[in-house]
Amino acid sequence: MALHGDSSGEFDTKSPADKLFTSFTDDINSTFDIISNEKITEYVGWEKRTVTLSMSGNLVSDSYNKFRATITVTPKAYEADGSRVLWTVEFEKIRQDVEDPVWIIDSLINYLKEIDGILIYSLF
């Protein structure tokens, strides 16, 4: 197993891109304070709806020297069709025997999907 790694993916949501991005960035630091004891938002680009998160401390620093996620929310051709979420994660493990951070990636994806569900419910 390599110490450095990356992972990326994408998925569709039903929420409008602006609403999903705003909801995600509004409380991301308080949501993931169990995983990271420091502020995790490194960059927020409102124009392209991109946020970069850098996690350290607590559960992250026990296994990773670096964990950085970049999430971009783009609208589909018709706003009524929802949006697409693109994510990329870069990480550096502290030892060879540390597993890839699949649980952190899954937490981020599930959180975004949960926000989407809440927004869709509140829109209708």
Side-chain angles (χ1 to χ4, degrees), residues 19-77:
K19 289 190 182 293
L20 182 65
F21 185 74
T22 300
S23 294
F24 177 67
T25 56
D26 277 352
D27 70 343
I28 188 68
N29 286 305
S30 62
T31 300
F32 287 95
D33 63 356
I34 292 171
I35 296 172
S36 179
N37 63 359
E38 298 175 10
K39 185 176 179 181
I40 65 171
T41 305
E42 186 175 298
Y43 169 79
V44 178
W46 292 99
E47 189 174 313
K48 293 185 179 183
R49 291 177 221 77
T50 298
V51 62
T52 300
L53 310 171
S54 184
M55 296 184 188
S56 61
N58 288 354
L59 299 174
V60 174
S61 64
D62 290 345
S63 301
Y64 308 98
N65 289 325
K66 170 185 160 185
F67 183 91
R68 178 175 289 140
T70 301
I71 298 161
T72 303
V73 181
T74 57
K76 289 190 178 176

Side-chain angles (χ1 to χ4, degrees), residues 6 19 55 57 68 75 87-88 94 113:
D6 58 51
K19 289 190 182 293
M55 296 184 188
R68 178 175 289 140
W87 56 270
T88 303
I94 61 171
K113 289 180 177 180

Side-chain angles (χ1 to χ4, degrees), residues 68-99:
R68 178 175 289 140
T70 301
I71 298 161
T72 303
V73 181
T74 57
K76 289 190 178 176
Y78 299 99
E79 189 171 328
D81 291 340
S83 53
R84 172 157 291 172
V85 176
L86 303 146
W87 56 270
T88 303
V89 171
E90 302 169 48
F91 58 89
E92 178 186 345
K93 301 181 232 181
I94 61 171
R95 295 182 316 275
Q96 291 283 351
D97 64 331
V98 172
E99 295 292 323

